[in-house]
């Protein structure tokens, strides 16, 4: 958090500086033309628009935050459904519920949002942005188009091409600032506005497309300007300029690199060859940025590129700082990787300097012996007090005070895919005892989330998505037994293909089921979609029930809604299909009682 504030402060210092430098023309003796002044004005409009959006979101976010805080305080240590306070918070505000239903939580059109469009099992063509996301992106695009055309002199051929060329060029570099800022996992807006990295990633991709289009338009204006003014000789001029001028040469390299980035970044490529995509992407970005830097030599707009580079540099430094902070000092971080049934591994990390474990955290894992230069995001599923791997016994948890101590081990459950995770699984499986130890580095934690202000919490998970929900279950049961939350009912719905997947979290479930007062609050519903026999599906107790097949998400939510206590949080982490079902089921019912929807996606 401190890091985010620092970087934000730095950014806040850099941006106006960059803008001011751009408008004053740096130190060069330079008198801006009328068209130049117009471009500066448009840069200012753009910057003000960004500031206004951030400010509006900030107010929205912190109002919600405050509301949740009040709701939690009001319901500490009070009774259940007969209590007027919980009842008060279970009633939705009609207008806000409508907005949530038709805008904030809405998919673009009907139902589809995170279920991928697939050409085949391996070819992922992408997902559809949500309705609000789409509106934002269209709005931004419209603004950029408007800024590209207003106050351009359409009557005079020469000034039309000159104005158009300069305008598109200026806007392209200006947009590089948010483009670079939003690409980072340490982007302070994530924490400040409570918007997830995958949303910023979406915006990053679209601003990137806008930058490429503007850069291409910039080139096109230049070329067609030459041809329009000089006819056949224009082509000759272009050739001469390409060969002789550094300005034109670097511009050409830059625009080619931009086009290269556009061509190598569609969803299909990204998802199929993520590591290759990432490395080529970074290499092309370096080429493009370097070329644009030289291209803008002695022009005030170079300050924009500088601001973008500074955003990038701060983000990289923060990553490095997190890596050093977590993994050094007290030895280095060690990982034990254990193969589990059902194509998964459990990674137990003895982190050199552990942090305060909270639900909703994820880390980036580096494991040089498995994949050099790779880092992959994983949710932290569990944390324990342990001094060494050899001392398996867990310390008695007195008041189940999971809040107090810093944890020394952090555990992940990782499902085998085809790259890094596959290597990890194969290596563990072929090691003696099905496990191996190695040096690892963790970068994080990123994100956190609390449902403690909700009276009723429904957690949906499919497969390995359970890693996101287990910490919530532990957090809520512990907070309940300590009288520290508004939560009175927790329902965990976990959909798995076969009962062997239960192994993934068995030791943790045993601990949770042994927690104080858990029977009063927790219900677990397991759905086995491909049981080998009906004998496999049996319900051990009233609070843990097993069913064959897939759940009817709507019916499950409806059932809890009928006896809802306080406000309800519905969270989902799993396949895009499940997430879309839960989203729809929540939207269909959120006008009857207070209900919020939360989605955690494991991809972008
Ligand atoms: C916030 C978050 C939390 C996650 N938590 C878990 C978890 O607890 N358990 C779990 O099993 N999985 C989790 N994932 C998914 C996990 O990161 C990917 O399955 C893993 O990176 C795949 O690695 P691979 O090389 O085997 O991938 P591949 O088989 O090569 O690709 C599989 C998919 O993973 C995506 N992917 C690959 N590398 C990365 C990367 N570095 N960053 C982002 N996406 C990538 C690709 O786009 C592709 O769609 C999480 C993802 C995110 C974003
Ligand atoms: C376009 O930009 C260049 C470089 O800053 C400048 O020299 C030129 O005067 C500008 N032309 C117009 C029409 O704005």
């Amino acid at each position: 958090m401190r890091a985010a504030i620092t970087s934000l402060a730095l950014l806040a210092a850099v941006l106006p500086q960059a803008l001011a430098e751009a408008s004053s023309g740096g130190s060069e003796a330079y008198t801006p033309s009328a068209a130049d002044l117009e471009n500066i004005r448009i840069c200012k409009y753009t910057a003000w628009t960004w500031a206004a959006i951030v400010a509006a979101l900030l107010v929205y976010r912190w109002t919600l935050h405050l509301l949740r805080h009040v709701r939690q305080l009001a319901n500490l240590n009070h009774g259940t459904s007969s209590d007027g306070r919980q009842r008060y918070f279970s009633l939705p505000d009609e207008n806000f519920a409508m907005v949530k239903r038709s805008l904030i939580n809405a998919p673009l059109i009907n139902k589809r949002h995170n279920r991928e469009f697939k050409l085949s099992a391996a070819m992922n063509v992408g997902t559809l942005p949500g309705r609000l996301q789409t509106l934002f992106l269209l709005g931004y695009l419209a603004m950029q188009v408007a800024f590209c055309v207003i106050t351009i002199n359409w009557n005079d051929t020469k000034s039309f091409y000159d104005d158009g060329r300069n305008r598109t060029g200026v806007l392209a570099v200006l947009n590089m600032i948010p483009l670079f800022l939003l690409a980072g996992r340490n982007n302070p807006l994530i924490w400040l506005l409570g918007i997830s990295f995958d949303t910023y990633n979406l915006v990053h991709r679209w601003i990137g497309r806008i930058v490429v289009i503007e850069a291409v338009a910039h080139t096109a204006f230049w070329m067609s300007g030459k041809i329009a003014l000089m006819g056949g000789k224009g082509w000759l001029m272009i050739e001469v300029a390409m060969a002789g001028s550094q300005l034109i040469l670097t511009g050409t390299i830059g625009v080619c690199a931009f086009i290269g980035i556009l061509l190598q970044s569609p969803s299909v490529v990204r998802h199929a060859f993520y590591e290759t995509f990432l490395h080529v992407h970074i290499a092309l970005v370096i080429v493009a940025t370097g070329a644009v830097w030289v291209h803008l030599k002695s022009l005030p707009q170079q300050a924009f590129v500088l601001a973008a580079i500074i955003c990038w540099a701060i983000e990289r430094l923060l990553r490095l700082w997190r890596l050093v902070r977590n993994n050094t000092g007290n030895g280095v971080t060690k990982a034990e990787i254990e193969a589990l049934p059902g194509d998964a591994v459990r990674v137990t990390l003895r982190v050199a300097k552990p942090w305060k474990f909270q639900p909703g955290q994820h880390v980036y894992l580096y494991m040089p012996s498995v994949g050099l230069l790779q880092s992959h995001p994983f949710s932290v599923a569990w944390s324990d007090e342990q001094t060494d791997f050899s001392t398996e016994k867990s310390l008695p948890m007195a008041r189940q005070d999971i809040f107090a101590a810093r944890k020394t081990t952090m555990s992940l459950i990782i499902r085998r895919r085809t790259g890094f995770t596959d290597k990890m699984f194969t290596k563990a499986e072929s090691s003696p005892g099905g496990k191996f130890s190695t040096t690892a580095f963790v970068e994080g934690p990123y994100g956190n989330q609390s449902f403690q202000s909700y009276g009723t919490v429904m957690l949906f998970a499919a497969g390995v998505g359970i890693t996101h929900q287990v910490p919530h279950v532990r957090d809520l049961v512990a907070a309940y037994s300590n009288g520290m939350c508004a939560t009175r009912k927790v329902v965990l719905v976990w959909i798995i293909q076969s009962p062997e997947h239960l192994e993934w979290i068995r030791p943790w479930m045993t601990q949770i089921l042994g927690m104080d007062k858990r029977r009063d609050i927790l219900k677990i519903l397991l759905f086995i979609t491909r049981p080998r026999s009906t004998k496999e599906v049996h319900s051990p107790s009233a609070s843990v029930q097993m069913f064959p097949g897939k759940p009817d998400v709507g019916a499950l939510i409806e059932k809890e809604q009928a006896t809802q206590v306080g406000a309800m949080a519905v969270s989902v982490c799993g396949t895009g299909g499940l997430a879309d079902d839960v989203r729809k089921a929540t939207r269909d019912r959120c006008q009857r009682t207070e209900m919020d929807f939360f989605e955690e996606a494991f991809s972008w």
Side-chain angles (χ1 to χ4, degrees), residues 142-191:
M143 179 180 94
Q144 288 297 309
V145 171
F147 283 173
C148 282
V149 298
I150 56 169
T151 68
I152 298 277
N153 186 347
W154 295 77
N155 301 320
D156 176 67
T157 315
K158 175 158 169 43
S159 44
F160 169 73
Y161 286 113
D162 282 357
D163 287 359
R165 182 197 65 207
N166 281 16
R167 178 69 56 81
T168 46
V170 168
L171 284 175
V173 278
L174 181 64
N175 275 307
M176 281 172 72
I177 301 174
L179 180 65
F180 279 47
L181 176 69
L182 302 190
R185 12 177 131 137
N186 283 297
N187 164 13
L189 296 176
I190 296 178
W191 161 81

Coordinates of all heavy atoms in Angstrom, one line a residue, residues 142-191:
A142 N -14.4 7.5 -29.0 CA -15.1 8.6 -29.6 C -14.3 9.9 -29.3 O -14.2 10.8 -30.1 CB -16.5 8.7 -29.1
M143 N -13.9 10.0 -28.0 CA -13.1 11.2 -27.6 C -11.9 11.4 -28.5 O -11.6 12.5 -29.0 CB -12.8 11.1 -26.2 CG -12.0 12.3 -25.7 SD -11.6 12.2 -23.9 CE -9.9 11.5 -24.0
Q144 N -11.2 10.3 -28.7 CA -10.0 10.4 -29.5 C -10.2 10.8 -30.9 O -9.5 11.5 -31.5 CB -9.2 9.0 -29.4 CG -8.6 8.8 -28.0 CD -7.5 9.8 -27.7 OE1 -6.6 10.1 -28.4 NE2 -7.7 10.4 -26.5
V145 N -11.3 10.2 -31.5 CA -11.7 10.5 -32.9 C -12.0 12.0 -32.9 O -11.5 12.7 -33.8 CB -12.9 9.7 -33.4 CG1 -13.4 10.2 -34.7 CG2 -12.5 8.2 -33.5
A146 N -12.8 12.5 -32.0 CA -13.2 13.9 -31.9 C -11.9 14.8 -31.8 O -11.7 15.7 -32.6 CB -14.1 14.2 -30.8
F147 N -11.0 14.4 -31.0 CA -9.8 15.2 -30.8 C -8.9 15.2 -32.0 O -8.1 16.1 -32.3 CB -9.0 14.7 -29.6 CG -9.6 15.1 -28.3 CD1 -9.1 14.7 -27.1 CD2 -10.6 16.1 -28.2 CE1 -9.6 15.1 -25.8 CE2 -11.1 16.5 -27.0 CZ -10.6 16.0 -25.8
C148 N -9.0 14.1 -32.8 CA -8.2 14.0 -34.0 C -8.8 15.0 -35.1 O -8.1 15.3 -36.1 CB -8.1 12.6 -34.6 SG -7.0 11.6 -33.7
V149 N -10.1 15.3 -35.1 CA -10.6 16.0 -36.2 C -11.0 17.5 -35.8 O -11.0 18.3 -36.7 CB -11.9 15.4 -36.8 CG1 -11.5 14.0 -37.3 CG2 -13.0 15.2 -35.7
I150 N -11.2 17.8 -34.5 CA -11.7 19.2 -34.3 C -10.5 20.2 -34.5 O -9.4 19.9 -34.4 CB -12.2 19.4 -32.8 CG1 -11.2 19.0 -31.8 CG2 -13.5 18.7 -32.6 CD1 -11.5 19.4 -30.4
T151 N -10.9 21.3 -34.9 CA -10.0 22.5 -35.2 C -8.9 22.1 -36.2 O -7.9 22.7 -36.2 CB -9.4 23.1 -33.9 OG1 -8.5 22.2 -33.4 CG2 -10.5 23.5 -33.0
I152 N -9.2 21.2 -37.0 CA -8.2 20.9 -38.1 C -8.7 21.8 -39.3 O -9.9 21.8 -39.6 CB -8.2 19.4 -38.5 CG1 -7.8 18.5 -37.4 CG2 -7.4 19.2 -39.8 CD1 -6.3 18.4 -37.2
N153 N -7.8 22.4 -40.0 CA -8.2 23.2 -41.1 C -8.4 22.4 -42.3 O -7.5 21.9 -43.0 CB -7.1 24.2 -41.4 CG -7.4 25.2 -42.4 OD1 -8.4 25.1 -43.1 ND2 -6.6 26.3 -42.5
W154 N -9.7 22.2 -42.7 CA -10.1 21.3 -43.8 C -10.0 22.0 -45.1 O -10.1 21.4 -46.2 CB -11.5 20.8 -43.6 CG -11.7 19.9 -42.4 CD1 -11.8 20.3 -41.1 CD2 -11.7 18.5 -42.4 NE1 -11.9 19.2 -40.3 CE2 -11.8 18.1 -41.0 CE3 -11.7 17.5 -43.4 CZ2 -11.9 16.7 -40.6 CZ3 -11.8 16.1 -43.0 CH2 -11.9 15.8 -41.6
N155 N -9.9 23.3 -45.1 CA -10.0 24.1 -46.4 C -8.7 24.2 -47.2 O -8.7 24.2 -48.4 CB -10.5 25.5 -46.1 CG -11.9 25.4 -45.4 OD1 -12.7 24.5 -45.8 ND2 -12.1 26.2 -44.4
D156 N -7.6 24.2 -46.5 CA -6.4 24.4 -47.1 C -5.6 23.0 -47.2 O -5.4 22.4 -46.1 CB -5.6 25.4 -46.4 CG -4.2 25.6 -47.0 OD1 -4.1 26.1 -48.1 OD2 -3.2 25.2 -46.3
T157 N -5.3 22.6 -48.3 CA -4.7 21.2 -48.4 C -3.4 21.1 -47.6 O -3.3 20.1 -46.8 CB -4.3 20.9 -49.9 OG1 -5.3 21.3 -50.7 CG2 -4.0 19.4 -50.1
K158 N -2.5 22.0 -47.7 CA -1.3 21.9 -46.9 C -1.5 21.8 -45.4 O -1.1 21.0 -44.7 CB -0.3 23.0 -47.3 CG 0.9 22.9 -46.4 CD 2.1 23.6 -47.1 CE 3.3 23.8 -46.1 NZ 3.6 22.6 -45.3
S159 N -2.3 22.8 -44.9 CA -2.5 22.8 -43.5 C -3.4 21.7 -43.0 O -3.2 21.2 -41.9 CB -3.0 24.2 -43.0 OG -4.0 24.7 -43.8
F160 N -4.2 21.2 -43.9 CA -5.0 20.0 -43.5 C -4.1 18.8 -43.2 O -4.1 18.2 -42.1 CB -6.0 19.6 -44.6 CG -6.6 18.2 -44.4 CD1 -7.6 18.1 -43.4 CD2 -6.2 17.2 -45.2 CE1 -8.2 16.8 -43.2 CE2 -6.8 15.9 -45.0 CZ -7.8 15.7 -44.0
Y161 N -3.1 18.5 -44.1 CA -2.2 17.4 -43.9 C -1.3 17.7 -42.7 O -1.0 16.8 -41.9 CB -1.5 17.1 -45.2 CG -2.3 16.4 -46.2 CD1 -2.7 17.0 -47.4 CD2 -2.8 15.1 -45.9 CE1 -3.5 16.4 -48.3 CE2 -3.7 14.5 -46.8 CZ -4.0 15.1 -48.0 OH -4.8 14.5 -48.9
D162 N -0.8 18.9 -42.6 CA 0.1 19.3 -41.6 C -0.5 19.2 -40.2 O 0.0 18.5 -39.3 CB 0.7 20.7 -41.7 CG 1.8 20.7 -42.8 OD1 2.1 19.6 -43.3 OD2 2.3 21.8 -43.1
D163 N -1.7 19.8 -40.1 CA -2.4 19.7 -38.8 C -2.8 18.3 -38.4 O -2.5 17.9 -37.3 CB -3.8 20.5 -38.9 CG -3.6 22.0 -39.0 OD1 -2.4 22.4 -38.9 OD2 -4.6 22.7 -39.1
G164 N -3.3 17.6 -39.4 CA -3.7 16.2 -39.1 C -2.5 15.4 -38.7 O -2.6 14.6 -37.7
R165 N -1.4 15.6 -39.4 CA -0.2 14.8 -39.1 C 0.3 15.1 -37.6 O 0.5 14.2 -36.8 CB 0.9 15.2 -40.1 CG 2.2 14.4 -39.9 CD 3.3 15.2 -40.6 NE 3.5 16.5 -40.0 CZ 4.0 17.5 -40.7 NH1 4.3 17.5 -42.0 NH2 4.2 18.7 -40.1
N166 N 0.3 16.4 -37.3 CA 0.8 16.8 -36.0 C -0.1 16.3 -34.9 O 0.3 15.8 -33.9 CB 1.0 18.3 -35.9 CG 2.3 18.7 -36.5 OD1 2.9 18.0 -37.3 ND2 2.7 19.9 -36.2
R167 N -1.4 16.5 -35.2 CA -2.4 16.1 -34.1 C -2.4 14.7 -33.8 O -2.3 14.3 -32.6 CB -3.8 16.5 -34.7 CG -5.0 16.2 -33.7 CD -5.0 17.0 -32.5 NE -5.0 18.4 -32.8 CZ -6.1 19.1 -33.1 NH1 -7.3 18.5 -33.1 NH2 -6.1 20.4 -33.4
T168 N -2.4 13.8 -34.8 CA -2.4 12.4 -34.6 C -1.1 11.9 -33.9 O -1.1 11.1 -33.0 CB -2.6 11.6 -35.9 OG1 -1.7 12.1 -36.9 CG2 -4.0 11.6 -36.4
G169 N 0.0 12.6 -34.3 CA 1.3 12.2 -33.7 C 1.3 12.6 -32.2 O 1.7 11.8 -31.4
V170 N 0.8 13.8 -31.9 CA 0.8 14.2 -30.5 C -0.1 13.3 -29.6 O 0.3 12.9 -28.6 CB 0.3 15.7 -30.4 CG1 0.0 16.1 -29.0 CG2 1.3 16.6 -31.0
L171 N -1.3 13.0 -30.2 CA -2.2 12.2 -29.4 C -1.6 10.8 -29.2 O -1.8 10.1 -28.2 CB -3.6 12.1 -30.1 CG -4.4 13.4 -29.9 CD1 -5.7 13.3 -30.6 CD2 -4.7 13.6 -28.4
A172 N -0.9 10.3 -30.2 CA -0.4 8.9 -30.1 C 0.6 8.9 -28.9 O 0.6 8.0 -28.1 CB 0.3 8.5 -31.4
V173 N 1.5 9.9 -28.9 CA 2.5 9.8 -27.8 C 1.9 10.1 -26.4 O 2.2 9.6 -25.4 CB 3.7 10.7 -28.0 CG1 4.8 10.0 -28.8 CG2 3.4 12.1 -28.5
L174 N 0.9 11.0 -26.4 CA 0.2 11.3 -25.2 C -0.4 10.0 -24.6 O -0.3 9.7 -23.4 CB -0.9 12.4 -25.4 CG -1.6 12.8 -24.1 CD1 -0.7 13.5 -23.2 CD2 -2.8 13.8 -24.5
N175 N -1.1 9.3 -25.5 CA -1.7 8.0 -25.0 C -0.8 7.0 -24.5 O -1.2 6.0 -23.9 CB -2.7 7.5 -26.1 CG -4.0 8.1 -26.0 OD1 -4.7 8.2 -25.0 ND2 -4.4 8.7 -27.2
M176 N 0.5 7.2 -24.9 CA 1.5 6.2 -24.4 C 1.6 6.2 -22.9 O 2.0 5.3 -22.2 CB 2.9 6.4 -25.0 CG 2.9 5.9 -26.4 SD 4.5 6.4 -27.3 CE 5.7 5.4 -26.4
I177 N 1.2 7.4 -22.3 CA 1.3 7.5 -20.8 C 0.3 6.5 -20.1 O 0.8 5.6 -19.4 CB 1.1 8.9 -20.3 CG1 2.2 9.8 -20.9 CG2 1.2 9.0 -18.8 CD1 2.0 11.3 -20.6
P178 N -1.0 6.6 -20.4 CA -1.9 5.6 -19.8 C -1.6 4.2 -20.3 O -1.7 3.2 -19.5 CB -3.3 6.1 -20.2 CG -3.1 7.0 -21.3 CD -1.8 7.6 -21.2
L179 N -1.1 4.1 -21.5 CA -0.8 2.8 -22.0 C 0.2 2.1 -21.2 O 0.0 0.9 -20.8 CB -0.3 2.9 -23.5 CG 0.0 1.6 -24.2 CD1 -1.2 0.8 -24.4 CD2 0.7 1.9 -25.5
F180 N 1.3 2.8 -20.8 CA 2.3 2.2 -20.0 C 1.9 2.0 -18.6 O 2.2 1.0 -17.9 CB 3.6 3.0 -20.1 CG 4.4 2.8 -21.3 CD1 3.8 2.8 -22.6 CD2 5.8 2.6 -21.3 CE1 4.6 2.6 -23.7 CE2 6.6 2.4 -22.4 CZ 5.9 2.4 -23.6
L181 N 1.2 3.0 -18.1 CA 0.8 3.0 -16.7 C -0.1 1.8 -16.4 O 0.0 1.0 -15.5 CB 0.0 4.3 -16.3 CG -0.6 4.3 -14.9 CD1 0.6 4.4 -13.9 CD2 -1.5 5.5 -14.8
L182 N -1.1 1.5 -17.3 CA -2.1 0.5 -17.1 C -1.6 -0.9 -17.3 O -2.2 -1.9 -17.0 CB -3.4 0.8 -17.9 CG -4.1 2.1 -17.7 CD1 -5.4 2.1 -18.4 CD2 -4.2 2.4 -16.2
A183 N -0.4 -1.0 -17.9 CA 0.1 -2.3 -18.2 C 0.7 -3.0 -16.9 O 0.9 -4.2 -16.9 CB 1.2 -2.2 -19.3
G184 N 0.9 -2.2 -15.9 CA 1.7 -2.7 -14.8 C 0.8 -3.3 -13.7 O -0.3 -2.9 -13.4
R185 N 1.4 -4.4 -13.1 CA 0.6 -5.0 -11.9 C 0.7 -4.1 -10.7 O 0.0 -4.2 -9.8 CB 1.1 -6.3 -11.6 CG 2.4 -6.7 -12.2 CD 2.9 -8.1 -11.7 NE 3.2 -8.9 -12.8 CZ 4.3 -9.7 -12.9 NH1 5.1 -9.8 -11.9 NH2 4.6 -10.3 -14.0
N186 N 1.7 -3.1 -10.7 CA 1.8 -2.2 -9.5 C 1.1 -0.9 -9.8 O 1.4 0.1 -9.1 CB 3.3 -2.0 -9.2 CG 3.8 -3.2 -8.5 OD1 3.4 -3.5 -7.4 ND2 4.8 -3.9 -9.1
N187 N 0.4 -0.8 -10.9 CA -0.4 0.4 -11.2 C -1.2 0.8 -9.9 O -2.1 0.1 -9.5 CB -1.3 0.0 -12.3 CG -2.4 1.0 -12.5 OD1 -2.4 2.1 -11.9 ND2 -3.4 0.7 -13.3
P188 N -0.9 2.0 -9.4 CA -1.5 2.4 -8.1 C -3.0 2.5 -8.2 O -3.8 2.5 -7.2 CB -0.9 3.7 -7.8 CG -0.2 4.2 -9.0 CD 0.1 3.0 -9.8
L189 N -3.6 2.7 -9.5 CA -5.0 2.8 -9.6 C -5.7 1.5 -9.3 O -6.9 1.6 -8.9 CB -5.3 3.2 -11.1 CG -4.8 4.6 -11.5 CD1 -5.1 4.8 -13.0 CD2 -5.4 5.7 -10.7
I190 N -5.1 0.4 -9.3 CA -5.7 -0.9 -9.0 C -6.1 -0.8 -7.5 O -7.3 -1.0 -7.2 CB -4.7 -2.0 -9.1 CG1 -4.3 -2.2 -10.6 CG2 -5.3 -3.3 -8.6 CD1 -3.3 -3.3 -10.8
W191 N -5.2 -0.3 -6.7 CA -5.5 -0.3 -5.2 C -6.4 0.9 -4.9 O -7.4 0.8 -4.2 CB -4.2 -0.2 -4.5 CG -4.3 0.3 -3.1 CD1 -4.7 -0.4 -2.1 CD2 -4.1 1.7 -2.7 NE1 -4.7 0.4 -0.9 CE2 -4.4 1.7 -1.3 CE3 -3.8 2.8 -3.3 CZ2 -4.3 2.8 -0.5 CZ3 -3.7 4.0 -2.5 CH2 -4.0 4.0 -1.2

